[in-house]
Amino acid sequence: MTDAELVTKTRNGDSDAFGQLVARYYDGTWRFAYHMLGERADAEDVVQETFLRAYLALGRYDERDQFRGWLYRILTNQCRNALTSRSRRGRRFIQDEVAIEGAPAPPEAAPSGIHDVVLTKALAKLDPAQREALLLKYAEGLEYTEMSAMTGVGESALKMRVKRGSERLRGLLGQEPLDD
Amino acid sequence: MTEDRILPIDGGDVPDDPQLRGWLVASYRNTPEPHADAVARCTRVVLDRAALKRPAAPNAPAPGFAARHWMVAASAIAAALIITVTVRSRAPLDQSGGLAPMADGAPVGATTAVAGGIQFDLRLPKNFAANVSVVGDFNGWDASKTPMVKDQSTGEWSAKVTLLPGRHIYAYLVNGEQWVVDPLAPQIPDAGYGPANAVVVEGDAR
């Protein structure tokens, strides 16, 4: 069943259809929120708020939009709100190191040589706007036009955030770009 | 932002970085899985909270949508032993502000940040509770630590707790045996001890 069909069913009061939408997108939204916020509990709160706001706003959802993009627009806003709130109360970005280190080892074929813990710690040191742009571009695999529609930020600004975020991240990792 | 203002008009070409992409994709893949019951819990909590918010929602979808979830709201309230929670502000993660009125006009919400702490308020049916406590990670879940005081004129139970900035988990304990959560406040994953709410205390962490 397509997302649009599930949205229609949800609008008609089918809570099971909404449950299917949550099941379809929970994992992806959670991974994004986790990488943005660095704490498991905060990520879960943000994802819950995201689905709540999406549910309440389904009446305004334009079916010509991709549901995933619409959902991630809410998600990125919620992550920003959470980071702003965290900043106001003086908390620092703290990685959930226990959870990260308890994760299974990367597969042998992982094209890295960079341990995930090191990467996530470096990611946490980026400006949140750069972190958001890098995750949307590389981890989510979005085009700049999609990122712009999702975040409300111009494409040129997003390109610069990706560029500077990449340079900063590589600097933090002590890694030079590969030669072509 | 400064970085946005100094860009060339079209932002220039930004070459893809496949190595960085590989690292981030691998990091995503290796991220610890969410809790096993996360999807079901998220769905349930969202439907319950949405049902209680629905009357205040400015963009309610089709009528059947709202009607269906008023029934869910009624179930949620009944499940809470017909207890309504009266609070003066929402938890900070909710940026919408304001309280959604319940069908009988009584407000529902979470907790209030007040000078020197957090105010917890709870309204119960008349003669329903002999005693009520706030229990949470801040008092070791000890019912004797934070008893709530009843205002005889309003019937509301209240307690003020001094909490350090950060995220705290709490619930209400009625008559020493009935655990009650606020259906509108953020709820944490059930780790086997029953549902509980979360509240974030803002302020300087130092």
Coordinates of all heavy atoms in Angstrom, one line a residue, chain A residues 17-104:
Chain A
A17 N -3.8 2.1 9.9 CA -3.1 2.7 8.7 C -2.0 3.6 9.2 O -0.9 3.7 8.7 CB -4.0 3.4 7.8
F18 N -2.3 4.4 10.3 CA -1.3 5.3 10.8 C -0.2 4.5 11.4 O 1.0 4.8 11.3 CB -2.0 6.2 11.9 CG -1.0 7.1 12.5 CD1 -0.4 8.2 11.8 CD2 -0.6 6.9 13.9 CE1 0.5 9.0 12.4 CE2 0.3 7.7 14.5 CZ 0.9 8.8 13.7
G19 N -0.6 3.4 12.1 CA 0.5 2.5 12.7 C 1.4 2.0 11.6 O 2.6 1.9 11.8
Q20 N 0.9 1.7 10.4 CA 1.8 1.3 9.3 C 2.7 2.4 8.8 O 3.9 2.1 8.5 CB 0.9 0.8 8.1 CG 0.2 -0.5 8.4 CD -0.6 -1.0 7.2 OE1 0.0 -1.2 6.1 NE2 -1.9 -1.2 7.4
L21 N 2.2 3.6 8.8 CA 3.1 4.7 8.5 C 4.2 4.9 9.5 O 5.4 5.1 9.2 CB 2.3 6.0 8.4 CG 1.4 6.2 7.1 CD1 0.5 7.4 7.3 CD2 2.3 6.4 5.9
V22 N 3.8 4.8 10.8 CA 4.9 4.9 11.8 C 5.9 3.8 11.7 O 7.1 4.0 11.7 CB 4.2 4.8 13.2 CG1 5.3 4.8 14.3 CG2 3.3 6.0 13.5
A23 N 5.4 2.5 11.4 CA 6.3 1.4 11.3 C 7.2 1.6 10.1 O 8.4 1.2 10.1 CB 5.5 0.1 11.1
R24 N 6.7 2.2 9.0 CA 7.5 2.4 7.8 C 8.6 3.4 8.0 O 9.7 3.3 7.4 CB 6.5 2.8 6.7 CG 7.1 2.9 5.3 CD 6.0 3.1 4.3 NE 5.2 1.9 4.1 CZ 4.1 1.8 3.3 NH1 3.8 2.8 2.5 NH2 3.4 0.7 3.2
Y25 N 8.3 4.4 8.8 CA 9.3 5.6 8.9 C 10.0 5.7 10.3 O 10.8 6.6 10.4 CB 8.6 6.9 8.5 CG 8.3 6.9 7.0 CD1 7.0 6.7 6.5 CD2 9.3 7.1 6.1 CE1 6.8 6.7 5.2 CE2 9.1 7.1 4.8 CZ 7.8 6.9 4.3 OH 7.6 6.9 3.0
Y26 N 9.6 4.9 11.2 CA 10.1 5.1 12.6 C 11.7 5.0 12.6 O 12.4 5.8 13.1 CB 9.5 4.1 13.6 CG 9.9 4.5 15.0 CD1 9.1 5.3 15.8 CD2 11.1 4.1 15.5 CE1 9.4 5.6 17.1 CE2 11.5 4.4 16.8 CZ 10.6 5.2 17.6 OH 11.0 5.6 18.9
D27 N 12.1 3.9 12.0 CA 13.5 3.6 12.0 C 14.4 4.7 11.4 O 15.4 5.1 12.0 CB 13.8 2.2 11.3 CG 15.2 1.7 11.6 OD1 15.4 1.3 12.8 OD2 16.1 1.8 10.7
G28 N 14.0 5.1 10.2 CA 14.7 6.2 9.5 C 14.7 7.5 10.3 O 15.7 8.2 10.4
T29 N 13.5 7.9 10.8 CA 13.5 9.1 11.5 C 14.3 9.1 12.8 O 14.9 10.0 13.2 CB 12.0 9.5 11.8 OG1 11.4 8.4 12.5 CG2 11.2 9.9 10.6
W30 N 14.2 7.9 13.4 CA 15.0 7.7 14.7 C 16.5 7.8 14.4 O 17.2 8.5 15.2 CB 14.6 6.4 15.3 CG 15.2 6.2 16.7 CD1 14.6 6.7 17.8 CD2 16.4 5.6 17.0 NE1 15.5 6.4 18.9 CE2 16.6 5.7 18.4 CE3 17.5 5.0 16.3 CZ2 17.7 5.2 19.1 CZ3 18.5 4.5 17.0 CH2 18.7 4.6 18.4
R31 N 17.0 7.2 13.4 CA 18.4 7.3 13.1 C 18.9 8.7 12.8 O 19.9 9.2 13.2 CB 18.8 6.4 11.9 CG 18.7 4.9 12.3 CD 18.9 4.0 11.1 NE 18.5 2.6 11.4 CZ 19.3 1.7 12.1 NH1 20.5 2.1 12.5 NH2 18.8 0.6 12.4
F32 N 18.0 9.4 12.0 CA 18.3 10.8 11.8 C 18.4 11.6 13.1 O 19.3 12.4 13.4 CB 17.3 11.4 10.8 CG 17.6 12.9 10.5 CD1 18.5 13.3 9.5 CD2 16.9 13.9 11.2 CE1 18.8 14.6 9.3 CE2 17.2 15.2 11.0 CZ 18.1 15.6 10.0
A33 N 17.3 11.5 13.9 CA 17.2 12.3 15.1 C 18.4 11.9 16.1 O 19.0 12.7 16.7 CB 15.9 12.0 15.8
Y34 N 18.7 10.6 16.1 CA 19.8 10.2 17.0 C 21.2 10.8 16.5 O 21.9 11.2 17.4 CB 19.9 8.6 16.9 CG 21.0 8.0 17.8 CD1 20.7 7.8 19.1 CD2 22.2 7.7 17.3 CE1 21.6 7.3 20.0 CE2 23.2 7.1 18.2 CZ 22.9 6.9 19.5 OH 23.8 6.4 20.3
H35 N 21.4 10.9 15.2 CA 22.6 11.5 14.8 C 22.6 13.0 14.9 O 23.7 13.6 15.1 CB 22.9 11.1 13.3 CG 23.5 9.8 13.1 ND1 22.8 8.6 13.2 CD2 24.8 9.4 12.8 CE1 23.6 7.6 13.1 NE2 24.8 8.1 12.8
M36 N 21.4 13.6 14.9 CA 21.3 15.0 15.1 C 21.5 15.4 16.6 O 22.1 16.4 16.9 CB 20.0 15.6 14.6 CG 19.9 15.8 13.1 SD 21.1 17.1 12.5 CE 20.6 18.5 13.4
L37 N 20.9 14.6 17.5 CA 20.9 15.0 18.9 C 21.9 14.2 19.7 O 22.2 14.7 20.8 CB 19.4 14.7 19.4 CG 18.3 15.4 18.7 CD1 17.0 15.0 19.2 CD2 18.5 16.9 18.7
G38 N 22.3 13.0 19.3 CA 23.3 12.3 20.0 C 22.8 11.6 21.3 O 23.7 11.0 22.0
E39 N 21.6 11.7 21.6 CA 21.1 11.0 22.8 C 19.8 10.2 22.4 O 18.9 10.7 21.8 CB 20.7 12.0 23.9 CG 22.0 12.7 24.5 CD 21.6 13.5 25.7 OE1 20.6 13.3 26.3 OE2 22.3 14.5 26.0
R40 N 19.9 9.0 22.9 CA 18.8 8.0 22.5 C 17.4 8.6 23.0 O 16.4 8.6 22.3 CB 19.1 6.7 23.2 CG 18.2 5.6 22.7 CD 18.6 4.3 23.5 NE 17.9 3.2 22.9 CZ 18.4 2.3 22.1 NH1 19.7 2.4 21.7 NH2 17.7 1.3 21.6
A41 N 17.4 9.0 24.3 CA 16.1 9.4 24.9 C 15.6 10.7 24.1 O 14.4 10.8 23.8 CB 16.3 9.7 26.3
D42 N 16.5 11.6 23.9 CA 16.0 12.8 23.1 C 15.5 12.5 21.8 O 14.5 13.0 21.3 CB 17.2 13.8 23.0 CG 17.5 14.5 24.3 OD1 16.7 14.3 25.3 OD2 18.4 15.3 24.4
A43 N 16.2 11.5 21.1 CA 15.8 11.1 19.7 C 14.4 10.5 19.8 O 13.5 10.8 18.9 CB 16.8 10.2 19.2
E44 N 14.1 9.7 20.8 CA 12.8 9.1 20.9 C 11.7 10.1 21.1 O 10.6 10.1 20.6 CB 12.8 8.0 22.0 CG 13.6 6.8 21.5 CD 13.8 5.7 22.6 OE1 13.3 6.0 23.7 OE2 14.3 4.7 22.3
D45 N 12.0 11.1 22.0 CA 11.1 12.2 22.3 C 10.8 12.9 21.0 O 9.6 13.2 20.7 CB 11.6 13.1 23.3 CG 11.6 12.6 24.7 OD1 11.0 11.5 24.9 OD2 12.2 13.2 25.6
V46 N 11.8 13.3 20.3 CA 11.6 14.1 19.0 C 10.8 13.3 18.0 O 10.0 13.8 17.3 CB 13.0 14.5 18.5 CG1 12.9 14.9 17.0 CG2 13.5 15.7 19.3
V47 N 11.1 12.0 17.8 CA 10.4 11.2 16.9 C 8.9 11.1 17.2 O 8.0 11.2 16.4 CB 11.0 9.8 16.7 CG1 10.1 8.9 15.9 CG2 12.4 10.0 16.0
Q48 N 8.7 10.9 18.5 CA 7.3 10.9 19.0 C 6.6 12.2 18.7 O 5.4 12.2 18.2 CB 7.3 10.6 20.5 CG 5.9 10.3 21.1 CD 6.0 10.1 22.6 OE1 5.5 10.9 23.3 NE2 6.5 9.0 23.0
E49 N 7.2 13.3 19.0 CA 6.6 14.6 18.7 C 6.4 14.8 17.2 O 5.4 15.4 16.8 CB 7.5 15.7 19.2 CG 7.5 15.9 20.7 CD 6.2 16.3 21.3 OE1 5.5 17.1 20.7 OE2 5.7 15.7 22.3
T50 N 7.3 14.3 16.4 CA 7.2 14.4 15.0 C 6.0 13.7 14.4 O 5.2 14.2 13.7 CB 8.5 13.9 14.3 OG1 9.6 14.7 14.7 CG2 8.4 13.9 12.8
F51 N 5.8 12.5 14.9 CA 4.6 11.7 14.4 C 3.3 12.3 15.0 O 2.3 12.3 14.3 CB 4.8 10.2 14.8 CG 5.6 9.5 13.9 CD1 6.9 9.0 14.3 CD2 5.2 9.2 12.6 CE1 7.7 8.3 13.4 CE2 6.0 8.5 11.7 CZ 7.3 8.1 12.1
L52 N 3.4 12.9 16.2 CA 2.2 13.5 16.7 C 1.8 14.7 15.8 O 0.7 14.9 15.5 CB 2.4 14.0 18.2 CG 1.3 14.8 18.8 CD1 0.0 14.0 18.9 CD2 1.7 15.3 20.1
R53 N 2.8 15.6 15.5 CA 2.5 16.7 14.7 C 2.1 16.4 13.3 O 1.2 17.0 12.7 CB 3.7 17.7 14.7 CG 3.9 18.4 16.0 CD 5.2 19.0 16.3 NE 5.3 19.4 17.6 CZ 4.9 20.6 18.1 NH1 4.3 21.4 17.3 NH2 5.0 20.9 19.4
A54 N 2.7 15.3 12.8 CA 2.3 14.9 11.5 C 0.8 14.4 11.5 O 0.0 14.7 10.6 CB 3.2 13.7 11.0
Y55 N 0.5 13.7 12.5 CA -0.9 13.1 12.6 C -1.9 14.3 12.7 O -2.9 14.3 12.0 CB -0.9 12.2 13.9 CG -2.3 11.6 14.1 CD1 -2.5 10.4 13.4 CD2 -3.2 12.1 14.9 CE1 -3.8 9.7 13.6 CE2 -4.5 11.5 15.1 CZ -4.7 10.3 14.4 OH -5.9 9.7 14.6
L56 N -1.5 15.3 13.6 CA -2.4 16.4 13.8 C -2.5 17.3 12.5 O -3.5 18.0 12.3 CB -2.0 17.2 15.0 CG -2.1 16.6 16.3 CD1 -1.4 17.5 17.4 CD2 -3.6 16.3 16.7
A57 N -1.5 17.2 11.7 CA -1.5 18.1 10.5 C -1.9 17.3 9.2 O -1.7 17.9 8.1 CB -0.1 18.7 10.4
L58 N -2.3 16.1 9.3 CA -2.6 15.3 8.1 C -3.7 16.0 7.3 O -3.7 15.8 6.0 CB -3.1 13.9 8.5 CG -2.0 12.9 8.7 CD1 -2.6 11.5 9.0 CD2 -1.1 12.8 7.5
G59 N -4.5 16.8 7.9 CA -5.5 17.5 7.2 C -4.9 18.6 6.2 O -5.6 19.0 5.2
R60 N -3.7 19.0 6.5 CA -3.1 20.0 5.7 C -2.1 19.4 4.7 O -1.5 20.1 3.9 CB -2.3 21.0 6.6 CG -3.3 22.0 7.3 CD -2.5 22.9 8.2 NE -2.1 22.2 9.4 CZ -1.2 22.6 10.2 NH1 -0.5 23.6 10.0 NH2 -0.9 21.9 11.3
Y61 N -1.9 18.1 4.8 CA -0.9 17.4 4.0 C -1.4 17.4 2.5 O -2.5 17.0 2.2 CB -0.7 16.0 4.5 CG 0.1 15.1 3.5 CD1 1.4 15.4 3.2 CD2 -0.5 14.0 2.9 CE1 2.1 14.6 2.3 CE2 0.2 13.2 2.1 CZ 1.5 13.5 1.7 OH 2.2 12.7 0.9
D62 N -0.6 17.9 1.6 CA -0.9 17.9 0.2 C -0.4 16.6 -0.4 O 0.8 16.3 -0.4 CB -0.2 19.1 -0.4 CG -0.6 19.3 -1.9 OD1 -1.0 18.3 -2.5 OD2 -0.4 20.4 -2.4
E63 N -1.3 15.8 -1.0 CA -0.9 14.5 -1.5 C 0.0 14.6 -2.7 O 0.6 13.5 -3.1 CB -2.1 13.7 -1.8 CG -2.9 13.3 -0.5 CD -4.2 12.7 -0.8 OE1 -4.5 12.5 -1.9 OE2 -5.0 12.5 0.2
R64 N 0.2 15.8 -3.2 CA 1.2 15.9 -4.3 C 2.6 15.8 -3.8 O 3.6 15.6 -4.5 CB 1.0 17.2 -5.1 CG -0.3 17.1 -5.9 CD -0.6 18.5 -6.5 NE -0.9 19.5 -5.4 CZ -1.2 20.7 -5.6 NH1 -1.4 21.2 -6.8 NH2 -1.4 21.5 -4.6
D65 N 2.8 16.1 -2.5 CA 4.1 16.0 -1.9 C 4.4 14.6 -1.5 O 3.5 13.8 -1.3 CB 4.2 16.8 -0.5 CG 4.1 18.3 -0.8 OD1 4.4 18.7 -1.9 OD2 3.7 19.0 0.1
Q66 N 5.7 14.3 -1.5 CA 6.1 13.0 -1.0 C 5.9 12.9 0.5 O 6.4 13.9 1.2 CB 7.6 12.7 -1.3 CG 7.9 12.5 -2.8 CD 7.3 11.2 -3.3 OE1 7.3 10.2 -2.6 NE2 6.7 11.3 -4.5
F67 N 5.3 11.9 1.0 CA 5.1 11.9 2.5 C 6.4 11.9 3.2 O 6.5 12.6 4.3 CB 4.3 10.6 2.8 CG 4.0 10.5 4.3 CD1 3.0 11.2 4.9 CD2 4.7 9.6 5.1 CE1 2.7 11.2 6.2 CE2 4.5 9.6 6.5 CZ 3.5 10.3 7.0
R68 N 7.4 11.2 2.7 CA 8.6 11.1 3.5 C 9.2 12.5 3.6 O 9.7 12.9 4.7 CB 9.6 10.2 2.7 CG 11.0 10.2 3.4 CD 11.9 9.1 2.7 NE 13.2 9.0 3.2 CZ 14.2 9.7 2.8 NH1 14.1 10.4 1.7 NH2 15.4 9.6 3.3
G69 N 9.2 13.3 2.5 CA 9.8 14.6 2.6 C 9.0 15.5 3.5 O 9.6 16.3 4.3
W70 N 7.7 15.4 3.5 CA 6.8 16.2 4.4 C 7.1 15.8 5.8 O 7.2 16.7 6.7 CB 5.4 15.9 4.0 CG 4.3 16.6 4.8 CD1 4.0 18.0 4.6 CD2 3.5 16.1 5.8 NE1 3.0 18.3 5.5 CE2 2.7 17.2 6.3 CE3 3.4 14.9 6.4 CZ2 1.7 17.0 7.3 CZ3 2.4 14.7 7.4 CH2 1.6 15.8 7.8
L71 N 7.2 14.5 6.1 CA 7.5 14.0 7.5 C 8.9 14.6 7.9 O 9.0 15.0 9.1 CB 7.5 12.5 7.5 CG 7.7 11.9 8.9 CD1 6.5 12.2 9.8 CD2 7.8 10.4 8.7
Y72 N 9.9 14.5 7.0 CA 11.2 14.9 7.4 C 11.3 16.4 7.6 O 12.1 16.9 8.4 CB 12.2 14.5 6.4 CG 12.8 13.1 6.7 CD1 12.0 12.0 6.7 CD2 14.1 12.9 7.1 CE1 12.5 10.7 7.0 CE2 14.6 11.7 7.4 CZ 13.8 10.6 7.4 OH 14.3 9.3 7.7
R73 N 10.4 17.2 7.0 CA 10.3 18.6 7.2 C 9.9 18.9 8.7 O 10.5 19.7 9.4 CB 9.3 19.2 6.3 CG 9.4 20.7 6.1 CD 8.3 21.3 5.2 NE 8.4 20.5 3.9 CZ 7.3 20.4 3.1 NH1 6.2 21.0 3.4 NH2 7.4 19.7 2.0
I74 N 9.0 18.1 9.1 CA 8.6 18.2 10.5 C 9.7 17.8 11.5 O 10.0 18.4 12.5 CB 7.3 17.4 10.8 CG1 6.1 17.9 9.9 CG2 6.9 17.4 12.3 CD1 4.9 17.0 9.9
L75 N 10.3 16.7 11.1 CA 11.4 16.1 11.9 C 12.6 17.1 12.0 O 13.1 17.2 13.2 CB 11.9 14.8 11.2 CG 13.1 14.1 11.9 CD1 12.7 13.6 13.3 CD2 13.5 12.9 11.0
T76 N 13.0 17.7 10.9 CA 14.1 18.6 11.0 C 13.8 19.8 11.9 O 14.6 20.3 12.7 CB 14.6 19.1 9.7 OG1 13.5 19.6 8.9 CG2 15.2 18.0 8.9
N77 N 12.5 20.2 11.8 CA 12.1 21.3 12.7 C 12.1 20.9 14.2 O 12.5 21.7 15.0 CB 10.7 21.8 12.3 CG 10.7 22.8 11.2 OD1 11.7 23.6 11.0 ND2 9.7 22.8 10.3
Q78 N 11.7 19.7 14.4 CA 11.6 19.2 15.8 C 13.0 19.1 16.4 O 13.3 19.4 17.5 CB 10.9 17.9 15.9 CG 9.4 18.1 15.7 CD 8.8 19.0 16.7 OE1 9.0 18.9 17.9 NE2 8.1 20.0 16.2
C79 N 14.0 18.6 15.5 CA 15.4 18.5 16.0 C 15.9 19.9 16.3 O 16.6 20.0 17.3 CB 16.2 17.8 14.9 SG 15.9 16.0 14.7
R80 N 15.6 20.8 15.4 CA 16.1 22.2 15.7 C 15.5 22.7 17.0 O 16.2 23.3 17.8 CB 15.7 23.1 14.5 CG 16.4 22.8 13.2 CD 15.9 23.7 12.2 NE 16.3 23.4 10.8 CZ 15.9 23.9 9.7 NH1 15.0 24.9 9.8 NH2 16.4 23.5 8.6
N81 N 14.2 22.5 17.2 CA 13.6 22.9 18.5 C 14.3 22.3 19.7 O 14.5 22.9 20.7 CB 12.1 22.6 18.5 CG 11.3 23.4 17.5 OD1 11.8 24.5 17.1 ND2 10.1 23.0 17.2
A82 N 14.6 21.0 19.5 CA 15.2 20.3 20.7 C 16.6 20.8 20.9 O 17.0 21.0 22.1 CB 15.3 18.8 20.4
L83 N 17.3 21.1 19.9 CA 18.7 21.7 20.0 C 18.6 23.1 20.6 O 19.5 23.4 21.5 CB 19.4 21.7 18.7 CG 19.8 20.3 18.2 CD1 20.3 20.4 16.7 CD2 21.0 19.7 19.0
T84 N 17.6 23.8 20.2 CA 17.5 25.2 20.8 C 17.2 25.1 22.3 O 17.7 25.8 23.1 CB 16.4 26.0 20.0 OG1 16.7 26.0 18.7 CG2 16.2 27.4 20.6
S85 N 16.3 24.2 22.6 CA 15.9 24.1 24.0 C 17.0 23.6 24.8 O 17.3 24.1 25.9 CB 14.7 23.1 24.1 OG 14.4 22.8 25.4
R86 N 17.8 22.7 24.2 CA 19.0 22.2 24.9 C 20.0 23.3 25.1 O 20.6 23.4 26.2 CB 19.6 21.0 24.1 CG 20.8 20.5 24.7 CD 21.5 19.5 23.8 NE 20.7 18.3 23.7 CZ 20.9 17.3 22.8 NH1 21.9 17.5 21.9 NH2 20.2 16.2 22.8
S87 N 20.2 24.1 24.1 CA 21.1 25.2 24.2 C 20.7 26.2 25.3 O 21.5 26.7 26.1 CB 21.2 25.9 22.9 OG 22.0 27.1 23.0
R88 N 19.4 26.5 25.4 CA 18.9 27.4 26.4 C 19.1 26.9 27.8 O 19.4 27.7 28.7 CB 17.4 27.6 26.2 CG 17.0 28.6 25.1 CD 15.6 29.1 25.4 NE 14.6 28.1 25.6 CZ 13.9 27.6 24.6 NH1 14.0 28.1 23.4 NH2 13.0 26.7 24.8
R89 N 19.0 25.6 28.0 CA 19.2 25.1 29.3 C 20.7 24.7 29.6 O 21.0 24.1 30.6 CB 18.3 24.0 29.6 CG 18.4 22.8 28.8 CD 17.4 21.7 29.3 NE 17.6 20.4 28.7 CZ 17.0 20.0 27.6 NH1 16.2 20.8 26.9 NH2 17.3 18.8 27.1
G90 N 21.6 25.1 28.7 CA 23.0 25.0 28.9 C 23.6 23.6 28.8 O 24.7 23.3 29.3
R91 N 22.8 22.7 28.2 CA 23.3 21.3 28.2 C 24.3 21.2 27.0 O 24.1 21.9 26.0 CB 22.2 20.3 28.0 CG 21.4 20.1 29.3 CD 20.2 19.2 29.1 NE 20.7 17.9 28.6 CZ 19.9 16.9 28.2 NH1 18.6 17.1 28.3 NH2 20.3 15.8 27.8
R92 N 25.2 20.3 27.1 CA 26.1 20.1 26.0 C 25.7 18.9 25.2 O 24.9 18.0 25.7 CB 27.5 19.9 26.5 CG 28.1 21.1 27.3 CD 29.4 20.7 27.8 NE 30.4 20.3 26.8 CZ 31.4 19.6 27.0 NH1 31.7 19.2 28.3 NH2 32.2 19.2 26.1
F93 N 26.1 18.8 24.0 CA 25.8 17.6 23.2 C 26.6 16.5 23.7 O 27.8 16.5 23.8 CB 26.3 17.9 21.7 CG 25.8 16.9 20.7 CD1 24.8 17.1 19.9 CD2 26.5 15.7 20.6 CE1 24.4 16.1 19.0 CE2 26.2 14.7 19.7 CZ 25.1 14.9 18.9
I94 N 25.9 15.5 24.2 CA 26.6 14.3 24.8 C 26.2 13.1 24.0 O 25.1 12.7 23.9 CB 26.2 14.1 26.3 CG1 26.5 15.4 27.0 CG2 26.8 12.9 26.9 CD1 25.8 15.5 28.4
Q95 N 27.2 12.4 23.5 CA 26.9 11.2 22.8 C 26.6 10.1 23.7 O 27.1 10.0 24.8 CB 28.2 10.8 22.0 CG 28.3 11.5 20.7 CD 27.2 11.1 19.7 OE1 26.6 10.1 19.8 NE2 27.0 12.0 18.7
D96 N 25.7 9.3 23.3 CA 25.2 8.1 24.0 C 26.3 7.0 23.8 O 26.1 6.1 23.1 CB 23.9 7.6 23.5 CG 23.3 6.5 24.4 OD1 24.0 6.0 25.2 OD2 22.1 6.3 24.2
E97 N 27.4 7.2 24.5 CA 28.6 6.3 24.2 C 28.3 4.9 24.5 O 28.8 4.0 23.8 CB 29.8 6.8 24.9 CG 30.2 8.2 24.5 CD 31.5 8.6 25.1 OE1 32.4 7.8 25.3 OE2 31.7 9.8 25.4
V98 N 27.6 4.6 25.6 CA 27.3 3.2 26.0 C 26.6 2.5 24.8 O 26.9 1.4 24.4 CB 26.5 3.2 27.3 CG1 26.1 1.7 27.6 CG2 27.3 3.7 28.4
A99 N 25.5 3.2 24.3 CA 24.8 2.6 23.2 C 25.6 2.4 22.0 O 25.5 1.4 21.3 CB 23.5 3.5 23.0
I100 N 26.4 3.5 21.7 CA 27.2 3.4 20.5 C 28.2 2.2 20.6 O 28.4 1.4 19.7 CB 27.9 4.7 20.2 CG1 26.9 5.8 19.8 CG2 29.0 4.6 19.1 CD1 27.5 7.2 19.7
E101 N 28.9 2.2 21.7 CA 29.9 1.2 21.8 C 29.4 -0.2 22.0 O 30.1 -1.2 21.7 CB 30.8 1.6 23.0 CG 31.7 2.8 22.7 CD 32.5 3.3 23.9 OE1 32.4 2.7 24.9 OE2 33.2 4.3 23.7
G102 N 28.1 -0.3 22.3 CA 27.5 -1.6 22.4 C 26.9 -2.1 21.1 O 26.4 -3.2 21.0
A103 N 27.0 -1.2 20.1 CA 26.5 -1.6 18.8 C 27.4 -2.6 18.1 O 28.6 -2.7 18.4 CB 26.4 -0.3 17.9
P104 N 26.8 -3.4 17.2 CA 27.6 -4.4 16.5 C 28.7 -3.7 15.7 O 28.6 -2.5 15.3 CB 26.6 -5.1 15.6 CG 25.4 -4.2 15.5 CD 25.4 -3.4 16.8

